[in-house]
Amino acid sequence: MGFKEEIKRRRTFAIISHPDAGKTTLTEKLLLFGGAIHVAGAVKSNKIKKTATSDFMEIEKQRGISVATSVMGFEYEGCKVNILDTPGHQDFAEDTFRTLTAVDSVIIVVDAAKGVETQTRKLMEVCRMRHTPVMVFINKMDRPSKDPFDLLDEVEEELKIKVRPLSWPAGSGNTFKGVYNLFEKSLFLFEPNKQTLEDGISISNINDAQIDESIGDKAAKLLREELELVEGVYPPFENETYLSGNVAPVFFGSALNNFGVRELLNCFLKIAPSPLPSQAEERLVMPDEEKFTGFVFKIHANMDPNHRNRLAFVKVCSGKFERNTNYLHVRHGKNMKFSSPTAFMADKKSIIDEAYPGDIVGIPDSGNFKIGDTITQGEKIHYKGLPSFSPELFRYIENDDPMKAKQLAKGIDQLMDEGVAQLFTSQFNGRKVIGTVGALQFEVIQYRLLHEYGASCRYEAINLHKACWLRSTDKVQLDDFKKRKLQYMAKDKSGRDVFMADSGYMLQMAQDNFKNIEFHFTSEF
Ligand code: G4P
């Protein structure tokens, strides 16, 4: 197969949802279709959920929360599908944001009874910023659900995107009979607890009397009426509006019962984008350019507790990535060869010789990489879009075991490179401050420092409101500000000036009094 065909057949995407909407269940069902995992009859199994597929970090097993994201690749109907898993827990939202920079499209799972929830709303904002094409799967139709029209209105309103149903449910909960596929014009009948991968019964004509026989006269009448309404209310589906991120196709189903999942997957493979161009600071890079480029969007530590190595996840943006070839690590300005790059098939990884745009390659790393690093075949470009957001919670971090100071320093350094949290060093007293998005990260850091680096730390409270990055063309004013506010000035990990405001009022005053200084709430501006 040629280089361009390889790119065209790739679909790299993430499934996002509010916790409990069914992201894990849907991911498992998709993996079953791809043959990436094998479970008799796709039975719901706690064992799979807790040990295999996406959760392989020790800490995740302990907490039962998907702390880190992982990649699952599989072949299906001629396509190479790469699912990038994202942590559901909101404290790890930043991990999810970064993963969204590495995907070409997104599937959003919504619980049919609960509708759109907070976490989904936040994640959708990131998709909207990047114009990522999104598809919606309304899950748990086997349970009593909200009215489908109300659900669609809610999605439009809450996620601020137009919708176009491509399938339609006949009833819900106890009366759930099946789903009519508007994309392929066929009716699939729901058989509870069947949970197999066999095809449903397909009825192509909506006026076919077989529908009345199968789901009853009343349900058939309602379905026909609703379908008529759907076609009247929503404009016909156009692929371009989906690809530009303006319209989200919507599917209904039940991931647990494996119902509606295949229709979602089939349509997804047909319409979802293959790898898109990537924006570097210097220029737009096309995936079919001959030379390899890629960037690190995630670093996973200690997958094997017996070895200290980390795994840097590289998204291939252009060209063919090849094993044992010299590539430029742009930030270090040095060439590196990778002898054991890995690809991911569910929980298994294997060494690969080559990878194409859209693929994610895992590179064993002993500390050379940090999030956002660009690797190329020689060109000095820098991929954008991996900003640090201003943390919301802050604590001083102190060494709790004087014998392990070195280990602690190394541990903190590496955890920050992984993007677990952000480190600020006070310019006033040299103390180190950890900033995070969620409270759980403090525990994660403490746990990992102890278990992976043998270092103990303790935290001390600090009263801070926000950290902001400063920029100004007025050097005199900036220097004056830094002198006056020395007590509140810190350096971030790359040595940039950060103002640590202790209240909203103080920040406002600073903004009012120093008009020539820009205060930024993300590190990329
Ligand atoms: P998440 O990754 O988005 O957090 O959700 P997950 O897939 O873990 O699903 C959350 C719960 O919802 C699970 O139940 C799961 O079995 C259930 N679920 C998922 N899809 C469907 C569906 O289509 N219909 C119904 N009725 N339930 C569904 P749980 O009891 O929390 O998990 P478990 O411990 O029984 O596995």
Side-chain angles (χ1 to χ4, degrees):
M1 194 177 300
F3 176 55
K4 288 199 174 164
E5 283 75 42
E6 284 288 1
I7 300 176
K8 248 176 95 181
R9 75 187 194 94
R10 274 163 168 76
R11 301 285 182 274
T12 303
F13 70 104
I15 304 179
I16 56 178
S17 76
H18 191 87
D20 263 0
K23 178 170 67 72
T24 312
T25 313
L26 179 65
T27 308
E28 280 174 9
K29 296 297 145 87
L30 294 177
L31 291 177
L32 276 168
F33 281 116
I37 56 171
H38 300 276
V39 191
V43 187
K44 180 175 74 160
S45 157
N46 285 337
K47 211 165 142 242
I48 305 179
K49 212 166 123 181
K50 301 242 157 67
T51 59
T53 59
S54 56
D55 304 340
F56 35 61
M57 259 174 77
E58 184 63 28
I59 194 156
E60 288 186 278
K61 285 181 210 155
Q62 288 214 348
R63 294 172 189 278
I65 305 164
S66 198
V67 170
T69 60
S70 58
V71 182
M72 290 154 282
F74 62 89
E75 296 274 341
Y76 182 73
E77 309 252 304
C79 283
K80 168 78 193 296
V81 182
N82 295 313
I83 308 180
L84 275 56
D85 193 19
T86 56
H89 198 285
Q90 59 179 16
D91 282 9
F92 298 92
E94 203 155 345
D95 245 18
T96 304
F97 296 157
R98 283 192 291 256
T99 298
L100 293 181
T101 65
V103 301
D104 297 304
S105 67
V106 157
I107 294 179
I108 297 176
V109 184
V110 172
D111 184 320
K114 293 188 182 146
V116 176
E117 297 168 89
T118 23
Q119 192 62 8
T120 320
R121 222 174 289 138
K122 281 195 198 148
L123 294 170
M124 182 62 206
E125 275 169 33
V126 181
C127 296
R128 214 177 12 253
M129 256 161 51
R130 305 178 58 85
H131 308 288
T132 310
V134 303
M135 215 177 244
V136 177
F137 183 70
I138 298 193
N139 189 30
K140 307 196 186 181
M141 287 309 296
D142 58 313
R143 289 228 191 120
S145 315
K146 291 188 179 181
D147 173 76
F149 284 106
D150 289 348
L151 277 166
L152 292 177
D153 286 350
E154 193 175 325
V155 170
E156 282 202 336
E157 221 163 89
E158 298 282 337
L159 300 184
K160 300 191 181 69
I161 186 163
K162 293 252 163 291
V163 296
R164 177 43 160 117
L166 288 187
S167 79
W168 195 259
S172 72
N174 289 338
T175 64
F176 184 51
K177 308 278 190 200
V179 159
Y180 184 74
N181 185 331
L182 290 142
F183 192 66
E184 285 169 356
K185 306 253 179 276
S186 51
L187 179 76
F188 288 85
L189 296 175
F190 176 65
E191 291 173 55
N193 306 319
K194 195 159 172 239
Q195 306 193 6
T196 67
L197 295 179
E198 287 157 30
D199 279 329
I201 307 163
S202 172
I203 303 167
S204 56
N205 181 357
I206 188 61
N207 292 317
D208 195 321
Q210 209 189 330
I211 296 181
D212 303 67
E213 275 165 39
S214 310
I215 65 177
D217 293 348
K218 219 169 117 197
K221 184 167 171 269
L222 184 67
L223 177 67
R224 288 188 186 108
E225 278 168 13
E226 288 188 337
L227 285 175
E228 201 176 320
L229 200 56
V230 167
E231 297 299 354
V233 170
Y234 297 97
F237 174 69
E238 283 171 18
N239 217 9
E240 297 73 52
T241 55
Y242 157 65
L243 291 175
S244 58
N246 291 317
V247 172
V250 179
F251 287 84
F252 292 84
S254 165
L256 183 63
N257 292 291
N258 213 341
F259 190 78
V261 177
R262 174 174 294 193
E263 292 67 47
L264 172 79
L265 182 61
N266 285 349
C267 176
F268 174 82
L269 295 180
K270 262 190 210 135
I271 69 173
S274 49
L276 300 168
S278 311
Q279 186 66 52
E281 267 168 41
E282 294 77 3
R283 66 185 186 88
L284 190 69
V285 180
M286 307 310 282
D288 59 0
E289 287 181 22
E290 202 186 309
K291 292 197 169 159
F292 162 73
T293 64
F295 68 90
V296 177
F297 68 95
K298 162 185 157 60
I299 292 175
H300 211 314
N302 294 313
M303 314 239 309
D304 177 353
N306 297 321
H307 298 98
R308 172 62 69 75
N309 60 358
R310 317 190 293 177
L311 203 61
F313 287 66
V314 175
K315 160 90 187 275
V316 180
C317 297
S318 70
K320 187 156 83 168
F321 171 92
E322 285 174 305
R323 188 157 84 97
N324 279 328
T325 305
N326 263 319
Y327 289 125
L328 176 68
H329 184 308
V330 176
R331 183 170 54 89
H332 286 329
K334 66 177 187 197
N335 281 328
M336 298 176 85
K337 248 186 206 175
F338 308 111
S339 59
S340 39
T342 51
F344 305 85
M345 295 305 257
D347 58 333
K348 290 191 236 50
K349 58 186 173 76
S350 55
I351 293 188
I352 45 145
D353 290 318
E354 54 186 40
Y356 292 89
D359 285 342
I360 309 298
V361 180
I363 296 180
D365 171 43
S366 51
N368 283 312
F369 287 113
K370 65 180 191 182
I371 287 194
D373 278 346
T374 302
I375 315 170
T376 71
Q377 216 165 317
E379 191 180 352
K380 289 195 178 102
I381 54 166
H382 303 81
Y383 278 111
K384 295 180 20 158
L386 288 158
S388 303
F389 295 87
S390 178
E392 292 175 8
L393 304 169
F394 301 88
R395 285 186 203 168
Y396 281 123
I397 183 163
E398 298 291 348
N399 187 6
D400 214 18
D401 179 354
M403 305 296 286
K404 298 282 172 66
K406 244 172 138 177
Q407 284 88 334
L408 183 76
K410 184 170 179 197
I412 294 178
D413 200 46
Q414 296 207 343
L415 292 185
M416 299 307 127
D417 281 354
E418 274 178 42
V420 174
Q422 292 177 62
L423 180 73
F424 303 98
T425 310
S426 166
Q427 296 184 22
F428 179 64
N429 57 19
R431 289 184 78 178
K432 293 192 181 328
V433 175
I434 298 276
T436 69
V437 178
L440 201 51
Q441 263 113 329
F442 289 110
E443 283 175 56
V444 170
I445 291 168
Q446 204 163 31
Y447 177 93
R448 289 190 51 190
L449 284 172
L450 188 64
H451 289 260
E452 295 168 26
Y453 299 89
S456 349
C457 73
R458 78 189 132 75
Y459 296 113
E460 278 175 31
I462 178 172
N463 181 29
L464 282 180
H465 166 66
K466 259 210 163 23
C468 32
W469 286 265
L470 304 178
R471 182 165 69 179
S472 177
T473 47
D474 185 345
K475 192 173 174 315
V476 177
Q477 189 172 93
L478 188 62
D479 286 346
D480 180 40
F481 179 83
K482 281 170 23 187
K483 216 159 77 198
R484 284 173 193 235
K485 302 281 179 195
L486 182 63
Q487 220 180 323
Y488 302 99
M489 290 304 299
K491 295 264 184 211
D492 74 1
K493 204 160 171 283
S494 32
R496 293 194 297 171
D497 285 322
V498 178
F499 172 52
M500 316 279 272
D502 65 4
S503 68
Y505 175 72
M506 182 199 197
L507 179 61
Q508 189 60 52
M509 289 290 284
Q511 284 170 316
D512 289 348
N513 294 339
F514 295 86
K515 295 272 188 229
N516 292 346
I517 299 178
E518 296 166 25
F519 296 79
H520 292 277
F521 300 101
T522 63
S523 64
E524 200 173 82
F525 40 82

